[in-house]
């Protein structure tokens, strides 16, 4: 089909070079020796579906060379997406709603299990982890009787975490002025 080029003949192997190497009337068909694999990109997010492929010399419309999309029906779900707390693996890393999610909340260790956490020991998560609290106002996380909701009593301890020891204590004695 090209008498001026010995490499172009009916017995030649088709390659991706914008020529009809094997004289079959088709240039750079999908069966070309060096044809690449392309992946369907149904959601047009530039990431393709590894289970839906085609071979071609150039990417056909709706196909891309990247095969890392984990949900080709949702453009907001792809390896470059921001992880959110929404029960989806937004960034295709194999983990759903990890603590690094953009909208993850901060939770505080609650060692004494009184419902109040220690502001100096925190973690980020999409849901309240066991042993943590959303509240960070515990002033003694080793003692469940000491927290912002505790009743203040006379004992030289700040039970209610207001920064003042024995103020408004329920067992305080009444004292009278003895001026003389």
């Amino acid at each position: 089909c090209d008498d001026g080029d010995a490499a172009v003949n009916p017995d030649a192997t088709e390659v991706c070079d914008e020529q009809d190497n094997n004289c079959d009337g088709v240039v750079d068909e999908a069966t070309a020796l060096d044809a690449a694999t392309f992946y369907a990109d149904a959601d047009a997010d530039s990431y393709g579906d590894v289970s839906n492929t085609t071979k071609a010399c150039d990417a056909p419309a709706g196909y891309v060379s990247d095969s890392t999309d984990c949900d080709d029906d949702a453009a907001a779900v792809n390896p470059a997406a921001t992880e959110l707390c929404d029960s989806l693996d937004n960034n295709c890393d194999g983990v759903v709603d990890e603590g690094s999610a953009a909208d993850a909340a901060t939770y505080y260790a609650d060692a004494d299990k009184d419902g109040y956490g220690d502001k100096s020991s925190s973690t980020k998560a999409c849901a309240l982890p066991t042993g943590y609290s959303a509240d960070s106002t515990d002033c003694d996380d080793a003692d469940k009787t000491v927290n912002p909701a505790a009743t203040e009593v006379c004992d030289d301890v700040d039970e209610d975490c207001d920064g003042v020891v024995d103020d408004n204590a329920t067992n305080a004695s009444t004292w009278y002025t003895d001026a003389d």
Side-chain angles (χ1 to χ4, degrees):
C1 62
D2 184 354
D3 211 20
D5 187 348
V8 177
N9 63 70
D11 292 329
T13 300
E14 186 70 32
V15 292
C16 296
D17 63 357
E18 298 183 14
Q19 283 188 326
D20 180 12
N21 307 94
N22 59 7
C23 300
D24 66 355
V26 181
V27 174
D28 294 347
E29 60 257 31
T31 58
L33 180 65
D34 55 348
T37 301
F38 294 95
Y39 306 89
D41 183 16
D43 58 11
D45 63 0
S46 300
Y47 297 90
D49 179 356
V50 71
S51 67
N52 189 348
T53 65
T54 190
K55 303 256 311 165
C57 288
D58 294 308
Y63 284 81
V64 294
S65 60
D66 185 291
S67 67
T68 58
D69 202 339
C70 59
D71 184 349
D72 203 35
D73 293 325
V77 176
N78 63 64
T82 300
E83 185 68 30
L84 300 172
C85 296
D86 59 2
S87 300
L88 297 173
D89 180 13
N90 306 90
N91 59 5
C92 297
D93 67 353
V95 182
V96 175
D97 296 347
E98 60 259 35
S100 61
D103 56 348
T106 301
Y107 296 100
Y108 305 91
D110 183 16
D112 60 10
K113 298 180 176 83
D114 62 0
Y116 298 90
D118 178 359
K119 67 181 173 189
S120 67
S121 180
S122 65
T123 189
K124 292 189 71 85
C126 288
L128 180 64
T130 301
Y132 283 81
S133 171
D135 185 293
S136 67
T137 59
D138 202 337
C139 58
D140 184 351
D141 201 34
D143 185 347
K144 70 182 345 182
T145 65
V146 176
N147 62 64
T151 301
E152 189 76 32
V153 294
C154 292
D155 61 358
D156 293 325
V157 175
D158 178 17
E159 282 91 2
D160 62 4
C161 297
D162 67 355
V164 181
V165 174
D166 297 344
D167 64 316
N168 300 316
T170 59
N171 66 341
S173 299
T174 303
W175 299 93
Y176 302 95
T177 304
D178 182 9
D180 63 355

